[in-house]
Amino acid sequence: NAIVDASNYVMLELGQPTHPYDLAQLYGRGLRVRRARPDESLVTLDGVRRMLGRSSADDLLICDTKDIPVGLAGVMGGESSEISSATTEVLLEVATFDGIAIGRTATAQGLRSEASTRFWRGTDPEGLERAADRFCELVVAAHLAKGLTPPLVAAGHLESTPVLPPRRVVSLRTSRVNSYLGTQLSEAAMIGLLAPLGFEVEVVEGHLNVQIPGYRGDVSREVDLIEEIARHFGYDQIVATSRRSPFVGQRTDRQELRRSLRSLFCGLGASEAWSSSIVDPAEEHSTGSTVRPVELSNPIVVNEVALRSHLLGGLCSALRYNESHRNSEIRLFEIGNVFALSDSDDERPQERELAAVVFASLGDDASTAWSCWRALVDSLQLDDAQFELTQALPGESLALEWLSTGVHPTRSGQVHLGDLTVGVIGEIDPAVQELLGLAPRRLGWLVVDVEILNRCSRREKLAQPVSHFPSADVDLAFVLSDEIPAVVLERAIRDAAGELGESVRLVDTYRGRGVHEGSRSLSYRVRFCASDKTLTEQDISAARTGIISTVESCLPATLRS
């Protein structure tokens, strides 16, 4: 059997010996090893009947001369072979088995014995006779220690023509040893360290051929031999050296940005999703995408013949799947690449990395996406962030089409950092939701271009001391034209508040009676706090008056009464 490498047999008679055994006459009592037949069973020493030959083709049985199983090879003996008070003879079997085969059998039977663990880790195929002799020596010594008559050990061994596997040969380069360890060891020194450990070394041009002994199954590669040399040379003899570069393993700015985005989205209760980059063009068209897709010349699936041009379709498919499993209140995000054909003459494909979040929990809408954007701006310390309503997004630049696919025509807008359009905030178009098979409800949506986000300027992360004195909040509402971004007003309020201004936050936007058409009322909550004293009413009143006068003088804005 190819699974069994070798087997040795030794016979012992327990009790007073009358004559020495002749193993040649006992050969007929030897054991046989074979694979288990389908639906064959065996009662093991633990009293459990094991069904064999079903889940694993590697089940091996130890059988007697009548081909009756007496043990599960390498795992546990059979109940019929158990030693009792009436036992007078013991046939000792010493064998080595393939570790993977024994591991599969033990796992299939749910039987992790000491034997299976030892064979699974590997045994020495060259030490079978030595192991048998040592066992007999220990049995005799144990009887003598107790003052008992030792059993008679039969002379010689019965061998089932063992075929030992050839020794593994590993090539060891002396230059690699010294490069790894920072030493100047010669070939003779390396041989002197390996030879006492049982390794046979042959010198070849430029390297050493090392034969691995059977009892060192843990050594299989060049680095294992280098470890043996270092261990026996002495770690204290190896001089510490400085590494070549102080920036080993440093992450790039893009990798740091991805990690920050993942941490932020997870902190907002979103789970990361993964969707396939290869999609059905018909599904892409149902999302309202006008980008020319990149088609594949060798698609695996008949309908999936193009690369995705946005992340909306994949996230909506994940939402639809969760809805079908009654898990509709979730938030999902994905960071991945999108593709499209450019408008140039050569029609080369373009590739962008986007990060998108869909908010589908109870109460989520465009305001949730806006809160996510504000948290992103604060987390990344982004500078000069602006927002404007979406107007005629399709048909503009390719980058903007990537961002604007499937968004609500009136409840969405673009976000800018300086002169760069970095993303879109709002809700998913209800018509697109219906085409994609989603339930009719408001779904918040945020998508940003990771590449542009990585290029944007950021504020310096300077630590500010925390004041021990109480703060005071003041609400101010200004009427401002729709043509002027709210961020301009917010920046003016922040500058006018000066050192006393701890934070400025937009709390309400109003359009309606009392505010003329083409304008809106923006309410901000300004928090004042001093680091050296408690602010008085006169201090707060003066700061409030200064903000109002500054805003009304530099902007076409008026304080709303």
Side-chain angles (χ1 to χ4, degrees), residues 479 509-521 560:
V479 178
T509 301
Y510 172 75
R511 289 181 175 85
R513 191 170 66 176
V515 177
H516 56 82
E517 189 176 353
S519 300
R520 79 279 198 198
S521 173
R560 184 183 173 209

Side-chain angles (χ1 to χ4, degrees), residues 464-496:
Q464 299 292 337
V466 179
S467 175
H468 297 283
F469 298 94
S471 60
D473 291 343
V474 174
D475 290 344
L476 297 172
F478 293 93
V479 178
L480 187 68
S481 172
D482 289 337
E483 298 177 355
I484 301 176
V487 68
V488 177
L489 175 59
E490 180 178 332
R491 190 182 300 114
I493 296 175
R494 194 181 303 275
D495 294 340

